[in-house]
Amino acid sequence: MAKKNLMRVQGKDVNKPNAYLTIQLADTKSEVRGFGQPVTRRKTKEMAEAYFTACEDAWKLVQEIESNKAYAALKKLPGFKAMRSLVNPSQHVSGVFGKEIILQILSLRHCEGIRYIHGRDGEANTLILAGVNEVGTTIKEDGTVKAQSALVARSVMAPDAAAAVATDNTDDGGTVFDSEVHDEGTTIEETRALLG
């Protein structure tokens, strides 16, 4: 029997104003909207700390390469500058997405979930959110079923067609946004303080 994907939240019922309600979430393997598992605040902090520690360990290696003359040739490689930029402790490792944009993405036709994508915004690391829909399932080598997803494009009416078409521009020339880059970025140190 498959493991149930349950989430408990504090809510209200007629007899118990502080009752815990159990919610059955979508299947975590074969349905796109069910991808992922709920985590506690403690688990969030633990996973974030593991990432921060890995970045800091990589940053120590970068500093060793920069300070040791024996590694001078490594500093000249194009990949060194990229690595330095990616693991720099002053890079953003956390950002805020407002509920309006999350709801707007989720309201896209056929949207079943949100995919995060790592990106670069100028010199800063960033995350991008984009809506996804379900495009079927695939069977993995071990026989398990895994959902597949594809990015959802916002559909708008073309000025010369009755049917909606996916496009990068609206019929009045304005831009259509179907993804969001985070704002309010924080560094490792600032995010640690937020997590307590």
Side-chain angles (χ1 to χ4, degrees):
M1 184 171 162
K3 182 180 174 185
K4 290 186 177 181
N5 189 14
L6 301 175
M7 181 179 214
R8 290 187 71 206
V9 295
Q10 193 169 9
K12 293 182 178 181
D13 73 15
V14 176
N15 300 315
K16 298 179 183 176
N18 294 316
Y20 279 95
L21 307 175
T22 301
I23 300 170
Q24 171 69 45
L25 301 175
D27 182 291
T28 61
K29 301 293 183 221
S30 61
E31 297 178 65
V32 169
R33 65 181 176 272
F35 279 172
Q37 292 289 320
V39 294
T40 62
R41 177 71 176 267
R42 182 180 56 78
K43 186 64 174 176
T44 299
K45 187 175 177 181
E46 181 182 304
M47 293 188 307
E49 190 58 42
Y51 177 75
F52 300 160
T53 300
C55 287
E56 289 166 337
D57 289 346
W59 184 246
K60 288 175 189 170
L61 179 60
V62 166
Q63 290 178 310
E64 176 64 23
I65 292 170
E66 287 182 327
S67 64
N68 191 327
K69 291 179 183 178
Y71 301 126
L74 291 175
K75 291 193 294 187
K76 295 177 183 175
L77 296 174
F80 178 75
K81 184 178 178 184
M83 181 177 70
R84 187 183 195 290
S85 176
L86 289 170
V87 300
N88 189 322
S90 66
Q91 282 295 316
H92 291 167
V93 295
S94 171
V96 174
F97 293 92
K99 73 176 182 180
E100 289 83 5
I101 191 62
I102 292 172
L103 293 172
Q104 186 176 351
I105 292 171
L106 289 173
S107 71
L108 292 170
R109 189 171 188 190
H110 305 300
C111 184
E112 292 287 343
I114 293 179
R115 175 175 295 282
Y116 71 90
I117 303 165
H118 290 275
R120 298 282 287 168
D121 187 9
E123 293 296 312
N125 297 335
T126 191
L127 280 180
I128 305 153
L129 297 184
V132 294
N133 65 357
E134 196 165 307
V135 291
T137 57
T138 185
I139 299 175
K140 297 171 68 176
E141 288 181 16
D142 63 2
T144 58
V145 177
K146 178 85 171 158
Q148 291 181 309
S149 66
L151 294 184
V152 176
R154 184 175 198 168
S155 294
V156 297
M157 293 300 291
D160 59 348
V165 294
T167 179
D168 286 337
N169 296 305
T170 62
D171 54 356
D172 63 358
T175 302
V176 172
F177 299 102
D178 55 14
S179 302
E180 173 83 354
V181 174
H182 75 74
D183 200 0
E184 298 291 326
T186 58
T187 63
I188 290 175
E189 184 178 337
E190 292 165 336
T191 306
R192 275 186 173 132
L194 288 172
L195 292 173

